[in-house]
PDB file of all heavy atoms in Angstrom:
ATOM      1  N   THR A   1     101.853  88.143 141.908  1.00 95.00           N
ATOM      2  CA  THR A   1     102.921  89.128 142.047  1.00 95.00           C
ATOM      3  C   THR A   1     103.958  88.676 143.061  1.00 95.00           C
ATOM      4  O   THR A   1     103.614  88.241 144.155  1.00 95.00           O
ATOM      5  CB  THR A   1     102.338  90.478 142.503  1.00 95.00           C
ATOM      6  OG1 THR A   1     101.292  90.857 141.612  1.00 95.00           O
ATOM      7  CG2 THR A   1     103.387  91.551 142.537  1.00 95.00           C
ATOM      8  N   PHE A   2     105.230  88.791 142.703  1.00 96.00           N
ATOM      9  CA  PHE A   2     106.300  88.494 143.635  1.00 96.00           C
ATOM     10  C   PHE A   2     106.317  89.552 144.739  1.00 96.00           C
ATOM     11  O   PHE A   2     106.184  90.741 144.472  1.00 96.00           O
ATOM     12  CB  PHE A   2     107.666  88.489 142.935  1.00 96.00           C
ATOM     13  CG  PHE A   2     107.865  87.330 142.017  1.00 96.00           C
ATOM     14  CD1 PHE A   2     107.937  87.524 140.652  1.00 96.00           C
ATOM     15  CD2 PHE A   2     107.973  86.040 142.517  1.00 96.00           C
ATOM     16  CE1 PHE A   2     108.124  86.452 139.794  1.00 96.00           C
ATOM     17  CE2 PHE A   2     108.162  84.970 141.671  1.00 96.00           C
ATOM     18  CZ  PHE A   2     108.239  85.175 140.302  1.00 96.00           C
ATOM     19  N   ALA A   3     106.494  89.104 145.993  1.00 95.00           N
ATOM     20  CA  ALA A   3     106.527  90.038 147.126  1.00 95.00           C
ATOM     21  C   ALA A   3     107.669  91.040 146.970  1.00 95.00           C
ATOM     22  O   ALA A   3     107.503  92.221 147.260  1.00 95.00           O
ATOM     23  CB  ALA A   3     106.670  89.272 148.438  1.00 95.00           C
ATOM     24  N   ARG A   4     108.816  90.589 146.482  1.00 95.00           N
ATOM     25  CA  ARG A   4     109.955  91.514 146.347  1.00 95.00           C
ATOM     26  C   ARG A   4     109.675  92.607 145.318  1.00 95.00           C
ATOM     27  O   ARG A   4     110.158  93.715 145.447  1.00 95.00           O
ATOM     28  CB  ARG A   4     111.230  90.753 146.013  1.00 95.00           C
ATOM     29  CG  ARG A   4     111.278  90.113 144.664  1.00 95.00           C
ATOM     30  CD  ARG A   4     112.637  89.442 144.414  1.00 95.00           C
ATOM     31  NE  ARG A   4     112.732  88.959 143.064  1.00 95.00           N
ATOM     32  CZ  ARG A   4     112.363  87.765 142.662  1.00 95.00           C
ATOM     33  NH1 ARG A   4     111.872  86.895 143.543  1.00 95.00           N
ATOM     34  NH2 ARG A   4     112.486  87.412 141.396  1.00 95.00           N
ATOM     35  N   ALA A   5     108.862  92.309 144.285  1.00 96.00           N
ATOM     36  CA  ALA A   5     108.496  93.325 143.296  1.00 96.00           C
ATOM     37  C   ALA A   5     107.594  94.381 143.926  1.00 96.00           C
ATOM     38  O   ALA A   5     107.768  95.577 143.700  1.00 96.00           O
ATOM     39  CB  ALA A   5     107.813  92.687 142.100  1.00 96.00           C
ATOM     40  N   ALA A   6     106.637  93.945 144.736  1.00 96.00           N
ATOM     41  CA  ALA A   6     105.745  94.889 145.415  1.00 96.00           C
ATOM     42  C   ALA A   6     106.517  95.736 146.419  1.00 96.00           C
ATOM     43  O   ALA A   6     106.309  96.945 146.526  1.00 96.00           O
ATOM     44  CB  ALA A   6     104.609  94.139 146.103  1.00 96.00           C
ATOM     45  N   LEU A   7     107.422  95.106 147.164  1.00 95.00           N
ATOM     46  CA  LEU A   7     108.206  95.853 148.161  1.00 95.00           C
ATOM     47  C   LEU A   7     109.155  96.845 147.495  1.00 95.00           C
ATOM     48  O   LEU A   7     109.389  97.931 148.023  1.00 95.00           O
ATOM     49  CB  LEU A   7     108.972  94.886 149.059  1.00 95.00           C
ATOM     50  CG  LEU A   7     108.102  94.030 149.979  1.00 95.00           C
ATOM     51  CD1 LEU A   7     108.958  93.024 150.739  1.00 95.00           C
ATOM     52  CD2 LEU A   7     107.303  94.890 150.932  1.00 95.00           C
ATOM     53  N   ALA A   8     109.695  96.487 146.341  1.00 95.00           N
ATOM     54  CA  ALA A   8     110.574  97.418 145.629  1.00 95.00           C
ATOM     55  C   ALA A   8     109.803  98.650 145.185  1.00 95.00           C
ATOM     56  O   ALA A   8     110.308  99.779 145.276  1.00 95.00           O
ATOM     57  CB  ALA A   8     111.216  96.732 144.434  1.00 95.00           C
ATOM     58  N   ARG A   9     108.563  98.466 144.713  1.00 95.00           N
ATOM     59  CA  ARG A   9     107.741  99.605 144.293  1.00 95.00           C
ATOM     60  C   ARG A   9     107.258 100.416 145.495  1.00 95.00           C
ATOM     61  O   ARG A   9     107.010 101.603 145.371  1.00 95.00           O
ATOM     62  CB  ARG A   9     106.543  99.142 143.484  1.00 95.00           C
ATOM     63  CG  ARG A   9     106.831  98.493 142.169  1.00 95.00           C
ATOM     64  CD  ARG A   9     107.373  99.460 141.153  1.00 95.00           C
ATOM     65  NE  ARG A   9     107.410  98.968 139.793  1.00 95.00           N
ATOM     66  CZ  ARG A   9     108.235  98.053 139.324  1.00 95.00           C
ATOM     67  NH1 ARG A   9     109.084  97.466 140.114  1.00 95.00           N
ATOM     68  NH2 ARG A   9     108.206  97.717 138.042  1.00 95.00           N
ATOM     69  N   LEU A  10     107.121  99.758 146.646  1.00 95.00           N
ATOM     70  CA  LEU A  10     106.694 100.478 147.848  1.00 95.00           C
ATOM     71  C   LEU A  10     107.741 101.512 148.249  1.00 95.00           C
ATOM     72  O   LEU A  10     107.408 102.605 148.688  1.00 95.00           O
ATOM     73  CB  LEU A  10     106.429  99.496 148.989  1.00 95.00           C
ATOM     74  CG  LEU A  10     105.852 100.075 150.266  1.00 95.00           C
ATOM     75  CD1 LEU A  10     104.492 100.709 150.021  1.00 95.00           C
ATOM     76  CD2 LEU A  10     105.737  98.985 151.331  1.00 95.00           C
ATOM     77  N   GLY A  11     109.014 101.178 148.098  1.00 93.00           N
ATOM     78  CA  GLY A  11     110.070 102.166 148.281  1.00 93.00           C
ATOM     79  C   GLY A  11     110.512 102.421 149.706  1.00 93.00           C
ATOM     80  O   GLY A  11     111.190 103.412 149.958  1.00 93.00           O
ATOM     81  N   VAL A  12     110.148 101.582 150.647  1.00 94.00           N
ATOM     82  CA  VAL A  12     110.646 101.716 152.023  1.00 94.00           C
ATOM     83  C   VAL A  12     111.334 100.416 152.403  1.00 94.00           C
ATOM     84  O   VAL A  12     110.991  99.350 151.904  1.00 94.00           O
ATOM     85  CB  VAL A  12     109.518 102.059 153.031  1.00 94.00           C
ATOM     86  CG1 VAL A  12     108.913 103.414 152.736  1.00 94.00           C
ATOM     87  CG2 VAL A  12     108.452 100.991 153.050  1.00 94.00           C
ATOM     88  N   ARG A  13     112.317 100.521 153.294  1.00 94.00           N
ATOM     89  CA  ARG A  13     113.081  99.342 153.710  1.00 94.00           C
ATOM     90  C   ARG A  13     113.111  99.245 155.225  1.00 94.00           C
ATOM     91  O   ARG A  13     113.015 100.253 155.924  1.00 94.00           O
ATOM     92  CB  ARG A  13     114.508  99.442 153.186  1.00 94.00           C
ATOM     93  CG  ARG A  13     114.590  99.370 151.700  1.00 94.00           C
ATOM     94  CD  ARG A  13     116.033  99.261 151.257  1.00 94.00           C
ATOM     95  NE  ARG A  13     116.070  99.139 149.817  1.00 94.00           N
ATOM     96  CZ  ARG A  13     116.889  99.804 149.051  1.00 94.00           C
ATOM     97  NH1 ARG A  13     117.753 100.638 149.575  1.00 94.00           N
ATOM     98  NH2 ARG A  13     116.858  99.627 147.748  1.00 94.00           N
ATOM     99  N   GLU A  14     113.311  98.024 155.666  1.00 94.00           N
ATOM    100  CA  GLU A  14     113.449  97.806 157.106  1.00 94.00           C
ATOM    101  C   GLU A  14     114.650  98.590 157.618  1.00 94.00           C
ATOM    102  O   GLU A  14     115.709  98.613 157.001  1.00 94.00           O
ATOM    103  CB  GLU A  14     113.642  96.320 157.390  1.00 94.00           C
ATOM    104  CG  GLU A  14     112.440  95.485 157.038  1.00 94.00           C
ATOM    105  CD  GLU A  14     112.673  93.996 157.248  1.00 94.00           C
ATOM    106  OE1 GLU A  14     113.642  93.628 157.933  1.00 94.00           O
ATOM    107  OE2 GLU A  14     111.879  93.211 156.713  1.00 94.00           O
ATOM    108  N   GLY A  15     114.458  99.264 158.740  1.00 92.00           N
ATOM    109  CA  GLY A  15     115.532 100.036 159.352  1.00 92.00           C
ATOM    110  C   GLY A  15     115.527 101.501 158.968  1.00 92.00           C
ATOM    111  O   GLY A  15     116.140 102.325 159.646  1.00 92.00           O
ATOM    112  N   ASP A  16     114.847 101.885 157.863  1.00 94.00           N
ATOM    113  CA  ASP A  16     114.741 103.297 157.484  1.00 94.00           C
ATOM    114  C   ASP A  16     113.927 104.045 158.532  1.00 94.00           C
ATOM    115  O   ASP A  16     113.066 103.469 159.191  1.00 94.00           O
ATOM    116  CB  ASP A  16     114.039 103.457 156.139  1.00 94.00           C
ATOM    117  CG  ASP A  16     114.882 103.009 154.961  1.00 94.00           C
ATOM    118  OD1 ASP A  16     116.086 102.726 155.165  1.00 94.00           O
ATOM    119  OD2 ASP A  16     114.333 102.932 153.847  1.00 94.00           O
ATOM    120  N   VAL A  17     114.184 105.331 158.658  1.00 95.00           N
ATOM    121  CA  VAL A  17     113.380 106.174 159.550  1.00 95.00           C
ATOM    122  C   VAL A  17     111.956 106.218 159.007  1.00 95.00           C
ATOM    123  O   VAL A  17     111.747 106.401 157.802  1.00 95.00           O
ATOM    124  CB  VAL A  17     113.974 107.597 159.639  1.00 95.00           C
ATOM    125  CG1 VAL A  17     113.070 108.510 160.450  1.00 95.00           C
ATOM    126  CG2 VAL A  17     115.367 107.541 160.255  1.00 95.00           C
ATOM    127  N   PHE A  18     110.979 106.029 159.895  1.00 94.00           N
ATOM    128  CA  PHE A  18     109.585 105.997 159.465  1.00 94.00           C
ATOM    129  C   PHE A  18     109.195 107.350 158.894  1.00 94.00           C
ATOM    130  O   PHE A  18     109.416 108.396 159.499  1.00 94.00           O
ATOM    131  CB  PHE A  18     108.661 105.650 160.639  1.00 94.00           C
ATOM    132  CG  PHE A  18     107.226 105.527 160.228  1.00 94.00           C
ATOM    133  CD1 PHE A  18     106.766 104.351 159.669  1.00 94.00           C
ATOM    134  CD2 PHE A  18     106.355 106.585 160.375  1.00 94.00           C
ATOM    135  CE1 PHE A  18     105.443 104.225 159.277  1.00 94.00           C
ATOM    136  CE2 PHE A  18     105.037 106.470 159.985  1.00 94.00           C
ATOM    137  CZ  PHE A  18     104.577 105.289 159.428  1.00 94.00           C
ATOM    138  N   ASN A  19     108.603 107.318 157.684  1.00 93.00           N
ATOM    139  CA  ASN A  19     108.158 108.525 157.008  1.00 93.00           C
ATOM    140  C   ASN A  19     106.824 108.201 156.343  1.00 93.00           C
ATOM    141  O   ASN A  19     106.775 107.453 155.359  1.00 93.00           O
ATOM    142  CB  ASN A  19     109.202 108.956 155.971  1.00 93.00           C
ATOM    143  CG  ASN A  19     108.859 110.267 155.309  1.00 93.00           C
ATOM    144  OD1 ASN A  19     107.695 110.615 155.155  1.00 93.00           O
ATOM    145  ND2 ASN A  19     109.889 110.986 154.902  1.00 93.00           N
ATOM    146  N   ALA A  20     105.747 108.763 156.877  1.00 92.00           N
ATOM    147  CA  ALA A  20     104.409 108.472 156.365  1.00 92.00           C
ATOM    148  C   ALA A  20     104.233 108.957 154.934  1.00 92.00           C
ATOM    149  O   ALA A  20     103.532 108.319 154.140  1.00 92.00           O
ATOM    150  CB  ALA A  20     103.357 109.102 157.266  1.00 92.00           C
ATOM    151  N   ASP A  21     104.877 110.063 154.552  1.00 95.00           N
ATOM    152  CA  ASP A  21     104.767 110.566 153.188  1.00 95.00           C
ATOM    153  C   ASP A  21     105.387 109.589 152.188  1.00 95.00           C
ATOM    154  O   ASP A  21     104.836 109.365 151.116  1.00 95.00           O
ATOM    155  CB  ASP A  21     105.438 111.939 153.052  1.00 95.00           C
ATOM    156  CG  ASP A  21     104.687 113.023 153.812  1.00 95.00           C
ATOM    157  OD1 ASP A  21     103.465 112.862 154.026  1.00 95.00           O
ATOM    158  OD2 ASP A  21     105.321 114.024 154.185  1.00 95.00           O
ATOM    159  N   ARG A  22     106.536 109.020 152.521  1.00 94.00           N
ATOM    160  CA  ARG A  22     107.158 108.029 151.638  1.00 94.00           C
ATOM    161  C   ARG A  22     106.293 106.781 151.507  1.00 94.00           C
ATOM    162  O   ARG A  22     106.177 106.202 150.433  1.00 94.00           O
ATOM    163  CB  ARG A  22     108.540 107.635 152.153  1.00 94.00           C
ATOM    164  CG  ARG A  22     109.603 108.627 151.791  1.00 94.00           C
ATOM    165  CD  ARG A  22     110.976 108.209 152.211  1.00 94.00           C
ATOM    166  NE  ARG A  22     111.323 106.869 151.738  1.00 94.00           N
ATOM    167  CZ  ARG A  22     112.273 106.127 152.279  1.00 94.00           C
ATOM    168  NH1 ARG A  22     112.967 106.574 153.309  1.00 94.00           N
ATOM    169  NH2 ARG A  22     112.550 104.931 151.799  1.00 94.00           N
ATOM    170  N   LEU A  23     105.670 106.384 152.605  1.00 95.00           N
ATOM    171  CA  LEU A  23     104.787 105.225 152.594  1.00 95.00           C
ATOM    172  C   LEU A  23     103.564 105.492 151.715  1.00 95.00           C
ATOM    173  O   LEU A  23     103.173 104.644 150.902  1.00 95.00           O
ATOM    174  CB  LEU A  23     104.374 104.867 154.018  1.00 95.00           C
ATOM    175  CG  LEU A  23     103.728 103.518 154.248  1.00 95.00           C
ATOM    176  CD1 LEU A  23     104.610 102.386 153.765  1.00 95.00           C
ATOM    177  CD2 LEU A  23     103.396 103.334 155.719  1.00 95.00           C
ATOM    178  N   ASP A  24     102.965 106.670 151.829  1.00 96.00           N
ATOM    179  CA  ASP A  24     101.822 107.031 150.988  1.00 96.00           C
ATOM    180  C   ASP A  24     102.206 107.103 149.512  1.00 96.00           C
ATOM    181  O   ASP A  24     101.449 106.666 148.652  1.00 96.00           O
ATOM    182  CB  ASP A  24     101.229 108.369 151.426  1.00 96.00           C
ATOM    183  CG  ASP A  24     100.479 108.281 152.743  1.00 96.00           C
ATOM    184  OD1 ASP A  24     100.120 107.161 153.147  1.00 96.00           O
ATOM    185  OD2 ASP A  24     100.269 109.328 153.372  1.00 96.00           O
ATOM    186  N   ALA A  25     103.373 107.669 149.225  1.00 96.00           N
ATOM    187  CA  ALA A  25     103.839 107.739 147.834  1.00 96.00           C
ATOM    188  C   ALA A  25     104.041 106.337 147.266  1.00 96.00           C
ATOM    189  O   ALA A  25     103.711 106.076 146.105  1.00 96.00           O
ATOM    190  CB  ALA A  25     105.134 108.545 147.751  1.00 96.00           C
ATOM    191  N   GLY A  26     104.550 105.418 148.063  1.00 95.00           N
ATOM    192  CA  GLY A  26     104.725 104.041 147.627  1.00 95.00           C
ATOM    193  C   GLY A  26     103.395 103.358 147.348  1.00 95.00           C
ATOM    194  O   GLY A  26     103.267 102.597 146.392  1.00 95.00           O
ATOM    195  N   LEU A  27     102.396 103.623 148.189  1.00 95.00           N
ATOM    196  CA  LEU A  27     101.060 103.062 147.964  1.00 95.00           C
ATOM    197  C   LEU A  27     100.482 103.573 146.647  1.00 95.00           C
ATOM    198  O   LEU A  27      99.882 102.808 145.893  1.00 95.00           O
ATOM    199  CB  LEU A  27     100.127 103.410 149.115  1.00 95.00           C
ATOM    200  CG  LEU A  27     100.359 102.651 150.416  1.00 95.00           C
ATOM    201  CD1 LEU A  27      99.464 103.178 151.517  1.00 95.00           C
ATOM    202  CD2 LEU A  27     100.140 101.173 150.211  1.00 95.00           C
ATOM    203  N   ARG A  28     100.662 104.872 146.365  1.00 95.00           N
ATOM    204  CA  ARG A  28     100.178 105.431 145.106  1.00 95.00           C
ATOM    205  C   ARG A  28     100.897 104.790 143.910  1.00 95.00           C
ATOM    206  O   ARG A  28     100.273 104.489 142.890  1.00 95.00           O
ATOM    207  CB  ARG A  28     100.347 106.946 145.082  1.00 95.00           C
ATOM    208  CG  ARG A  28      99.298 107.683 145.892  1.00 95.00           C
ATOM    209  CD  ARG A  28      99.318 109.173 145.626  1.00 95.00           C
ATOM    210  NE  ARG A  28     100.597 109.802 145.887  1.00 95.00           N
ATOM    211  CZ  ARG A  28     101.031 110.197 147.080  1.00 95.00           C
ATOM    212  NH1 ARG A  28     100.263 110.022 148.137  1.00 95.00           N
ATOM    213  NH2 ARG A  28     102.204 110.771 147.220  1.00 95.00           N
ATOM    214  N   ARG A  29     102.215 104.586 144.043  1.00 94.00           N
ATOM    215  CA  ARG A  29     102.968 103.931 142.964  1.00 94.00           C
ATOM    216  C   ARG A  29     102.407 102.543 142.673  1.00 94.00           C
ATOM    217  O   ARG A  29     102.234 102.156 141.516  1.00 94.00           O
ATOM    218  CB  ARG A  29     104.451 103.807 143.339  1.00 94.00           C
ATOM    219  CG  ARG A  29     105.325 104.865 142.771  1.00 94.00           C
ATOM    220  CD  ARG A  29     106.792 104.529 142.937  1.00 94.00           C
ATOM    221  NE  ARG A  29     107.201 104.135 144.274  1.00 94.00           N
ATOM    222  CZ  ARG A  29     107.502 104.970 145.258  1.00 94.00           C
ATOM    223  NH1 ARG A  29     107.433 106.274 145.057  1.00 94.00           N
ATOM    224  NH2 ARG A  29     107.872 104.525 146.434  1.00 94.00           N
ATOM    225  N   LEU A  30     102.143 101.787 143.712  1.00 95.00           N
ATOM    226  CA  LEU A  30     101.581 100.443 143.537  1.00 95.00           C
ATOM    227  C   LEU A  30     100.190 100.498 142.913  1.00 95.00           C
ATOM    228  O   LEU A  30      99.859  99.708 142.034  1.00 95.00           O
ATOM    229  CB  LEU A  30     101.525  99.714 144.877  1.00 95.00           C
ATOM    230  CG  LEU A  30     102.852  99.179 145.391  1.00 95.00           C
ATOM    231  CD1 LEU A  30     102.726  98.752 146.839  1.00 95.00           C
ATOM    232  CD2 LEU A  30     103.324  98.021 144.522  1.00 95.00           C
ATOM    233  N   TRP A  31      99.384 101.422 143.373  1.00 94.00           N
ATOM    234  CA  TRP A  31      98.017 101.551 142.873  1.00 94.00           C
ATOM    235  C   TRP A  31      98.019 101.873 141.380  1.00 94.00           C
ATOM    236  O   TRP A  31      97.289 101.283 140.595  1.00 94.00           O
ATOM    237  CB  TRP A  31      97.284 102.636 143.653  1.00 94.00           C
ATOM    238  CG  TRP A  31      95.895 102.854 143.174  1.00 94.00           C
ATOM    239  CD1 TRP A  31      95.462 103.855 142.351  1.00 94.00           C
ATOM    240  CD2 TRP A  31      94.750 102.063 143.453  1.00 94.00           C
ATOM    241  NE1 TRP A  31      94.135 103.729 142.107  1.00 94.00           N
ATOM    242  CE2 TRP A  31      93.665 102.643 142.776  1.00 94.00           C
ATOM    243  CE3 TRP A  31      94.543 100.927 144.216  1.00 94.00           C
ATOM    244  CZ2 TRP A  31      92.386 102.120 142.840  1.00 94.00           C
ATOM    245  CZ3 TRP A  31      93.255 100.409 144.278  1.00 94.00           C
ATOM    246  CH2 TRP A  31      92.197 101.008 143.603  1.00 94.00           C
ATOM    247  N   PHE A  32      98.867 102.811 140.976  1.00 93.00           N
ATOM    248  CA  PHE A  32      98.873 103.264 139.587  1.00 93.00           C
ATOM    249  C   PHE A  32      99.592 102.321 138.637  1.00 93.00           C
ATOM    250  O   PHE A  32      99.610 102.555 137.433  1.00 93.00           O
ATOM    251  CB  PHE A  32      99.433 104.681 139.476  1.00 93.00           C
ATOM    252  CG  PHE A  32      98.480 105.723 140.000  1.00 93.00           C
ATOM    253  CD1 PHE A  32      98.820 106.509 141.079  1.00 93.00           C
ATOM    254  CD2 PHE A  32      97.233 105.891 139.428  1.00 93.00           C
ATOM    255  CE1 PHE A  32      97.938 107.452 141.576  1.00 93.00           C
ATOM    256  CE2 PHE A  32      96.344 106.830 139.910  1.00 93.00           C
ATOM    257  CZ  PHE A  32      96.695 107.618 140.988  1.00 93.00           C
ATOM    258  N   ARG A  33     100.189 101.237 139.131  1.00 91.00           N
ATOM    259  CA  ARG A  33     100.740 100.226 138.232  1.00 91.00           C
ATOM    260  C   ARG A  33      99.620  99.536 137.456  1.00 91.00           C
ATOM    261  O   ARG A  33      99.837  98.993 136.396  1.00 91.00           O
ATOM    262  CB  ARG A  33     101.528  99.160 139.001  1.00 91.00           C
ATOM    263  CG  ARG A  33     102.816  99.594 139.618  1.00 91.00           C
ATOM    264  CD  ARG A  33     103.782 100.216 138.674  1.00 91.00           C
ATOM    265  NE  ARG A  33     104.131  99.344 137.559  1.00 91.00           N
ATOM    266  CZ  ARG A  33     104.759  99.772 136.479  1.00 91.00           C
ATOM    267  NH1 ARG A  33     105.095 101.021 136.355  1.00 91.00           N
ATOM    268  NH2 ARG A  33     105.045  98.938 135.504  1.00 91.00           N
ATOM    269  N   GLY A  34      98.415  99.528 138.014  1.00 91.00           N
ATOM    270  CA  GLY A  34      97.275  98.931 137.327  1.00 91.00           C
ATOM    271  C   GLY A  34      97.126  97.438 137.537  1.00 91.00           C
ATOM    272  O   GLY A  34      96.272  96.813 136.937  1.00 91.00           O
ATOM    273  N   ALA A  35      97.952  96.858 138.382  1.00 94.00           N
ATOM    274  CA  ALA A  35      97.885  95.413 138.617  1.00 94.00           C
ATOM    275  C   ALA A  35      96.997  95.056 139.798  1.00 94.00           C
ATOM    276  O   ALA A  35      96.623  93.899 139.953  1.00 94.00           O
ATOM    277  CB  ALA A  35      99.292  94.860 138.850  1.00 94.00           C
ATOM    278  N   PHE A  36      96.662  96.043 140.630  1.00 95.00           N
ATOM    279  CA  PHE A  36      95.911  95.765 141.853  1.00 95.00           C
ATOM    280  C   PHE A  36      94.580  96.507 141.843  1.00 95.00           C
ATOM    281  O   PHE A  36      94.487  97.647 141.399  1.00 95.00           O
ATOM    282  CB  PHE A  36      96.711  96.210 143.088  1.00 95.00           C
ATOM    283  CG  PHE A  36      98.055  95.559 143.191  1.00 95.00           C
ATOM    284  CD1 PHE A  36      99.214  96.305 143.071  1.00 95.00           C
ATOM    285  CD2 PHE A  36      98.174  94.195 143.398  1.00 95.00           C
ATOM    286  CE1 PHE A  36     100.455  95.714 143.166  1.00 95.00           C
ATOM    287  CE2 PHE A  36      99.409  93.589 143.488  1.00 95.00           C
ATOM    288  CZ  PHE A  36     100.552  94.348 143.376  1.00 95.00           C
ATOM    289  N   SER A  37      93.556  95.854 142.366  1.00 93.00           N
ATOM    290  CA  SER A  37      92.262  96.513 142.514  1.00 93.00           C
ATOM    291  C   SER A  37      92.139  97.185 143.875  1.00 93.00           C
ATOM    292  O   SER A  37      91.292  98.050 144.062  1.00 93.00           O
ATOM    293  CB  SER A  37      91.122  95.505 142.316  1.00 93.00           C
ATOM    294  OG  SER A  37      91.202  94.464 143.269  1.00 93.00           O
ATOM    295  N   ASP A  38      93.007  96.799 144.825  1.00 95.00           N
ATOM    296  CA  ASP A  38      93.014  97.443 146.141  1.00 95.00           C
ATOM    297  C   ASP A  38      94.410  97.338 146.742  1.00 95.00           C
ATOM    298  O   ASP A  38      95.054  96.292 146.633  1.00 95.00           O
ATOM    299  CB  ASP A  38      92.001  96.784 147.067  1.00 95.00           C
ATOM    300  CG  ASP A  38      91.799  97.552 148.360  1.00 95.00           C
ATOM    301  OD1 ASP A  38      92.015  98.774 148.366  1.00 95.00           O
ATOM    302  OD2 ASP A  38      91.431  96.925 149.374  1.00 95.00           O
ATOM    303  N   VAL A  39      94.855  98.433 147.339  1.00 95.00           N
ATOM    304  CA  VAL A  39      96.154  98.482 148.012  1.00 95.00           C
ATOM    305  C   VAL A  39      95.969  99.251 149.309  1.00 95.00           C
ATOM    306  O   VAL A  39      95.423 100.359 149.311  1.00 95.00           O
ATOM    307  CB  VAL A  39      97.221  99.197 147.143  1.00 95.00           C
ATOM    308  CG1 VAL A  39      98.541  99.259 147.864  1.00 95.00           C
ATOM    309  CG2 VAL A  39      97.377  98.521 145.812  1.00 95.00           C
ATOM    310  N   SER A  40      96.407  98.663 150.419  1.00 96.00           N
ATOM    311  CA  SER A  40      96.338  99.357 151.707  1.00 96.00           C
ATOM    312  C   SER A  40      97.506  98.901 152.573  1.00 96.00           C
ATOM    313  O   SER A  40      98.186  97.931 152.259  1.00 96.00           O
ATOM    314  CB  SER A  40      95.008  99.081 152.421  1.00 96.00           C
ATOM    315  OG  SER A  40      94.891  97.708 152.725  1.00 96.00           O
ATOM    316  N   VAL A  41      97.714  99.616 153.654  1.00 95.00           N
ATOM    317  CA  VAL A  41      98.824  99.297 154.543  1.00 95.00           C
ATOM    318  C   VAL A  41      98.349  99.387 155.989  1.00 95.00           C
ATOM    319  O   VAL A  41      97.493 100.210 156.324  1.00 95.00           O
ATOM    320  CB  VAL A  41     100.027 100.234 154.277  1.00 95.00           C
ATOM    321  CG1 VAL A  41      99.739 101.656 154.699  1.00 95.00           C
ATOM    322  CG2 VAL A  41     101.273  99.728 154.940  1.00 95.00           C
ATOM    323  N   GLU A  42      98.873  98.505 156.808  1.00 95.00           N
ATOM    324  CA  GLU A  42      98.611  98.533 158.255  1.00 95.00           C
ATOM    325  C   GLU A  42      99.953  98.634 158.966  1.00 95.00           C
ATOM    326  O   GLU A  42     100.915  97.980 158.567  1.00 95.00           O
ATOM    327  CB  GLU A  42      97.915  97.247 158.707  1.00 95.00           C
ATOM    328  CG  GLU A  42      96.562  97.005 158.096  1.00 95.00           C
ATOM    329  CD  GLU A  42      96.010  95.638 158.468  1.00 95.00           C
ATOM    330  OE1 GLU A  42      96.447  95.066 159.499  1.00 95.00           O
ATOM    331  OE2 GLU A  42      95.163  95.133 157.717  1.00 95.00           O
ATOM    332  N   THR A  43      99.996  99.449 160.007  1.00 94.00           N
ATOM    333  CA  THR A  43     101.216  99.546 160.815  1.00 94.00           C
ATOM    334  C   THR A  43     100.874  99.187 162.255  1.00 94.00           C
ATOM    335  O   THR A  43      99.763  99.441 162.724  1.00 94.00           O
ATOM    336  CB  THR A  43     101.819 100.969 160.776  1.00 94.00           C
ATOM    337  OG1 THR A  43     100.848 101.896 161.256  1.00 94.00           O
ATOM    338  CG2 THR A  43     102.245 101.347 159.379  1.00 94.00           C
TER     339      THR A  43
END
């Protein structure tokens, strides 16, 4: 998977105000694409 494709589906960008709900929604979007067996995030 191209990193830019994963980041586009994640839906957050550098410099945006931190929003945990948007980050969680992006993780769900990535998970439900069906291409990954595990998706997690560390801050």
Side-chain angles (χ1 to χ4, degrees):
T1 307
F2 290 112
R4 68 177 186 271
L7 293 175
R9 295 291 192 288
L10 186 62
V12 296
R13 294 189 178 135
E14 294 177 16
D16 288 351
V17 174
F18 183 82
N19 185 330
D21 292 335
R22 279 184 53 201
L23 194 57
D24 288 342
L27 286 174
R28 283 192 303 278
R29 262 192 310 277
L30 284 168
W31 178 260
F32 287 117
R33 291 305 302 167
F36 302 114
S37 60
D38 190 26
V39 179
S40 63
V41 69
E42 298 173 22
T43 59

